[in-house]
Amino acid sequence: MPLSRALMRQATYPRRIAWSSVIFGSLFFILFTLILLTFTWHKRQHQHQQLLNDSRAALQHSLDALISNTLNPLLSFTRFDCHTISQELTSRAAFAENLRAILLVREGYAFCSSATGAFYLPLNAISEHTDLSRDQDLRLLSGTPLQPDKPAFALWLRNPHSAQSGVLATINLNLAPYQLLASYHPEISGMALVAQNTALTSWQPGLAANSELPPQPLMKQTLEGYPLQFVLYGDTLSMRDIHLIVLTGILLSLLVGGGCWLLLSLNRRPGKEILLGIKRGEFYVEYQPLISTLSGRAYGVEALLRWKHPSEGLIPPDMFISYAESLNLIIPLTRHLFELVARDAHRLNPYLPVGTHMSLNLSPLHLAAESFRQDVLRWIAAMPDNHFNYVFEVTERTMVRDKNAGEIFAWLHENNIQIAIDDFGTGHSALIYLEKYPFDYLKIDRGFVQSIGTQTLNSPVLDAVLHLANKLELKTVAEGVETGEQAAWLVKHGVSHMQGYLFSRPLQPDRLIDYYRCRSLATMAG
Ligand code: C2E
Ligand code: CA
Ligand code: CA
């Protein structure tokens, strides 16, 4: 992929990384909550099933035990008189758990009670719906004669040898132990024991008709051998479960999104290419001679940064400079330029005459930076002593951007650094700045120079610019001079300095040394 596209893509990385992280975090949230909700749903369902099993088993066990241990042996007692067996009856009832009373029934009449001894009452008066023709019958009673407000079971066991005779046990009914088991599950709102048409519920004291029960039970189970159902009401998942899962999901997805952002930022940090390029030494500097029209000789050089990317090859400075500026990397890049120029300068030192101008292009962003003065002083300290004249080339953008431009320029002058206004005439309202700031050089953009001699243009703008420069006593440097015709025109119009392929292309240090050697040989020969 051409680097231009790669650079474009990189420039949008911060937004893309943010979006990727948001999408990643959201996907994680959805997935996490879905999985955890499903998992918790199954877990709760299993727990509810277990709870129901345990409750049903406990009730079943106590009924079974009551029948086989206490009630069955009493069936034969229905033949006897109450006074002969009442003591036995009472003691059996006393030892059986949850038993309220045992009644002996003969021919439809209860004649003996474990609680009150002998009496005589139709059984239907005690348990209206008990079906005496059945071998076993279980009903819910809203109360018994001695405890009319406390619901109970009426468990009927028929004596197989005698019609309408048998034992009726009234059993205390209490959902509290099962509610205690369910209290760990806030999602279970209630439970009920349903026998035929009536139900004992956890939410009201007396009995309720089946029709009054909530329509959607959570789960139910029938007791084996009894017309009795244990029913749970509520939701599979509690609000607490949902809140916890969603909250954990949000927290974790924030973490995941943040982690993703960090990872992507570190890995695909925009401008990483430039910083890597600096580290790997992919940047170098070429120097283009600046020619004085009076002497026809080089009076200085302009340092132009180059980037040789390992896979992309040479990248035009116009592209990587503005890219570095957009990512706030121009300062490290210019510091690197300072280092490279200082290193080259020590090598060039013996070949370039004392007083040679060393012209550097500076970005307005760097000029406005806090570190600027320190960076410049450090650079000058690293340069060979008393050899070069320093010139900083700045564009009009500097003046537009920085309200303190005047102060910075003054500081540069104090430190013997001259200022050239670069690309003059390409920006806006450049003329204002010419008067306002103390420039030493005015660099005429190569666009103007290249228009010299074309039939379409008589260069009136260039004429005006040169006239103005003369008036303001500014030295002019014409950039991009490629032909003798252009050079002649410029000389004729009083341009004092030139730069362009006509004289030399930008050169690497070795070639620049050759350039200076040739010139001095030519001078000596001349
Ligand atoms: P610039 O400061 O106007 O630099 C002059 C440009 O004109 C250079 O392009 C140079 O190679 C080119 N040039 C010189 N003579 C001729 C000629 O006769 N004909 C033509 N067609 N071109 C000529 P380059 O090196 O590609 O640099 C382009 C721009 O990149 C520079 O324009 C400058 O704005 C920026 N740049 C280069 N190096 C640096 C740097 O170290 N720092 C900063 N901030 N900007 C730099
Ligand atoms: Ca320049
Ligand atoms: Ca220029």
Side-chain angles (χ1 to χ4, degrees):
M1 182 192 322
L3 198 83
S4 52
R5 244 170 56 212
L7 292 185
M8 272 304 291
R9 235 187 41 190
Q10 286 219 9
T12 56
Y13 266 166
R15 240 194 3 232
R16 290 170 44 148
I17 286 177
W19 272 115
S20 306
S21 312
V22 168
I23 291 170
F24 209 75
S26 310
L27 280 180
F28 176 86
F29 175 78
I30 293 170
L31 220 68
F32 176 85
T33 37
L34 271 183
I35 289 174
L36 216 66
L37 279 174
T38 314
F39 174 79
T40 315
W41 194 84
H42 280 292
K43 193 173 140 192
R44 292 281 177 258
Q45 245 201 348
H46 178 77
Q47 286 172 336
H48 298 161
Q49 191 65 54
Q50 194 64 41
L51 175 76
L52 203 58
N53 281 347
D54 292 348
S55 305
R56 181 198 55 82
L59 186 61
Q60 176 123 30
H61 175 77
S62 70
L63 287 176
D64 285 349
L66 189 70
I67 290 173
S68 57
N69 300 340
T70 310
L71 302 181
N72 266 341
L74 293 176
L75 283 177
S76 55
F77 283 26
T78 53
R79 284 184 284 124
F80 302 117
D81 279 342
C82 188
H83 65 268
T84 50
I85 38 101
S86 73
Q87 215 171 2
E88 172 75 12
L89 199 63
T90 307
S91 80
R92 285 208 180 222
F95 287 111
E97 226 175 302
N98 286 329
L99 205 60
R100 200 176 285 183
I102 306 173
L103 308 180
L104 295 180
V105 180
R106 194 185 299 138
E107 288 161 4
Y109 282 84
F111 65 94
C112 194
S113 159
S114 63
T116 54
F119 73 118
Y120 199 70
L121 207 65
L123 188 71
N124 286 354
I126 298 163
S127 174
E128 188 187 348
H129 300 291
T130 295
D131 186 353
L132 300 185
S133 62
R134 286 188 177 174
D135 285 346
Q136 184 179 315
D137 188 83
L138 188 75
R139 304 280 163 176
L140 281 174
L141 303 181
S142 55
T144 50
L146 290 180
Q147 287 177 298
D149 297 328
K150 284 199 167 174
F153 279 131
L155 177 61
W156 162 253
L157 290 184
R158 193 171 72 94
N159 183 340
H161 308 295
S162 164
Q164 302 228 317
S165 298
V167 181
L168 184 91
T170 50
I171 303 161
N172 286 325
L173 245 183
N174 192 0
L175 282 178
Y178 312 113
Q179 273 178 284
L180 201 67
L181 279 178
S183 65
Y184 292 107
H185 297 279
E187 67 276 11
I188 291 179
S189 56
M191 46 176 56
L193 268 174
V194 183
Q196 272 97 18
N197 297 324
T198 42
L200 178 76
T201 65
S202 58
W203 58 87
Q204 73 178 57
L207 293 184
N210 271 6
S211 55
E212 295 170 47
L213 294 177
Q216 292 289 340
L218 184 64
M219 238 175 219
K220 53 185 172 188
Q221 233 180 61
T222 308
L223 269 75
E224 274 169 43
Y226 302 94
L228 196 61
Q229 266 189 340
F230 226 119
V231 189
L232 292 184
Y233 294 95
D235 300 302
T236 308
L237 288 177
S238 67
M239 279 321 274
R240 190 182 65 181
D241 284 333
I242 295 170
H243 284 165
L244 206 71
I245 289 169
V246 169
L247 209 71
T248 318
I250 289 175
L251 281 179
L252 282 181
S253 48
L254 280 178
L255 272 179
V256 165
C260 174
W261 180 82
L262 205 71
L263 219 73
L264 289 178
S265 305
L266 286 180
N267 262 340
R268 296 153 69 182
R269 188 145 68 105
K272 198 179 162 200
E273 292 274 315
I274 286 189
L275 293 174
L276 259 179
I278 292 177
K279 213 165 123 191
R280 291 181 184 157
E282 291 164 13
F283 289 93
Y284 61 94
V285 183
E286 285 187 340
Y287 301 86
Q288 188 175 34
L290 304 164
I291 310 297
S292 155
T293 27
L294 265 181
S295 64
R297 296 178 56 180
Y299 70 93
V301 290
E302 178 179 359
L304 294 161
L305 196 55
R306 299 286 177 258
W307 184 11
K308 189 155 197 266
H309 191 273
S311 61
E312 309 292 336
L314 264 179
I315 298 162
D318 285 323
M319 187 181 283
F320 71 75
I321 295 284
S322 55
Y323 174 61
E325 282 178 338
S326 72
L327 294 173
N328 275 333
L329 286 175
I330 193 66
I331 295 177
L333 193 60
T334 311
R335 282 191 194 132
H336 189 53
L337 170 80
F338 284 159
E339 278 168 22
L340 295 173
V341 171
R343 195 185 63 195
D344 290 342
H346 285 279
R347 213 173 115 47
L348 296 171
N349 201 18
Y351 308 98
L352 272 56
V354 173
T356 296
H357 284 224
M358 177 60 80
S359 212
L360 260 63
N361 294 283
L362 289 192
S363 158
L365 288 174
H366 193 186
L367 254 82
E370 294 231 333
S371 68
F372 176 68
R373 296 175 193 203
Q374 203 188 350
D375 290 342
V376 171
L377 292 177
R378 198 174 292 150
W379 173 59
I380 290 176
M383 289 289 282
D385 288 338
N386 305 319
H387 195 95
F388 292 97
N389 275 328
Y390 304 118
V391 182
F392 282 172
E393 300 189 6
V394 298
T395 58
E396 292 153 36
R397 281 195 301 147
T398 307
M399 280 66 84
V400 179
R401 269 178 170 272
D402 201 333
K403 305 280 172 292
N404 298 326
E407 200 185 305
I408 297 165
F409 293 157
W411 181 83
L412 288 174
H413 277 155
E414 275 166 32
N415 287 277
N416 295 324
I417 298 168
Q418 292 183 290
I419 306 156
I421 180 159
D422 204 355
D423 301 340
F424 185 76
T426 56
H428 310 282
S429 49
L431 293 176
I432 297 173
Y433 301 121
L434 281 188
E435 255 197 323
K436 191 169 171 192
Y437 298 115
F439 299 114
D440 303 289
Y441 292 91
L442 185 153
K443 294 195 82 170
I444 300 157
D445 190 69
R446 66 174 178 274
F448 287 117
V449 174
Q450 260 140 35
S451 68
I452 296 171
T454 56
Q455 284 158 357
T456 49
L457 199 83
N458 241 335
S459 315
V461 182
L462 191 51
D463 268 340
V465 168
L466 293 176
H467 185 70
L468 192 71
N470 250 336
K471 275 241 147 146
L472 293 169
E473 293 178 352
L474 276 171
K475 284 168 261 181
T476 43
V477 186
E479 293 181 334
V481 182
E482 289 183 353
T483 65
E485 192 193 353
Q486 290 164 350
W489 191 99
L490 290 161
V491 170
K492 203 174 116 200
H493 287 78
V495 174
S496 48
H497 305 84
M498 286 187 221
Q499 169 185 13
Y501 295 169
L502 178 66
F503 309 100
S504 170
R505 287 184 173 258
L507 304 168
Q508 290 191 40
D510 281 344
R511 303 292 311 281
L512 186 69
I513 290 170
D514 291 345
Y515 173 90
Y516 269 91
R517 270 203 189 126
C518 282
R519 297 291 128 155
S520 55
L521 281 176
T523 319
M524 273 156 56

